[in-house]
Amino acid sequence: MAKVVMICGRICSGKSTYSEKLCTESNAVLLSVDEIMLTVFGQNTGEKHDEYVRKVKEYLLKKIPELISVGVSVILDWGFWTRQERDFTKNFCKMRGIACELHYIDISDEVWKHRIKKRNETESGGKSEFYFIDKALVEKFSSVFEIPDKSEIDVFI
């Protein structure tokens, strides 16, 4: 049965790598906000970034029922930083009779800082298609991210 899998975790926690692995293993479609944002707008969307992200997510949510109806599972590589967003997406699926799981990727602060440094070095060299993570983005993330409660998590990584 087709389902939606929400991938939750910090920036640089391995969400995209895990999402790609899940897609291959389960013959699913990956819907990635970052992929669209970076392809269409590049690194610098300025003050419009959050507005564009919201619109991309709205569009992708509309695609979920279409994909599920033809038997294709969907992997959402969005981060799901807040409980409100996780609850909204779960309710969106529930109201449409779509099975939905939350997979949470947890990494230590030490590993997180190492991965950010590694990504930024790769991105600075023009070898990556991911966001450069500056101090402001780390601060924004830290002020917004809500670790999921155990009752929210279906798969803990």
Side-chain angles (χ1 to χ4, degrees), residues 87-106:
D87 288 347
F88 178 85
T89 304
K90 284 183 177 183
N91 287 332
F92 176 90
C93 291
K94 183 178 181 180
M95 290 175 54
R96 290 157 181 80
I98 299 170
C100 183
E101 296 177 355
L102 179 74
H103 292 209
Y104 175 56
I105 300 173
D106 187 27

Side-chain angles (χ1 to χ4, degrees), residues 114-128:
H114 174 74
R115 287 185 180 178
I116 289 172
K117 181 180 178 199
K118 185 177 178 183
R119 176 186 286 185
N120 284 345
E121 288 169 354
T122 302
E123 185 55 46
S124 294
K127 300 175 188 171
S128 177

Side-chain angles (χ1 to χ4, degrees), residues 9 19 30 56 58 93 116 122 127 138 142 147-148 156:
S19 296
L30 175 64
V56 167
E58 285 176 6
C93 291
I116 289 172
T122 302
K127 300 175 188 171
V138 169
S142 296
I147 297 171
F156 187 89

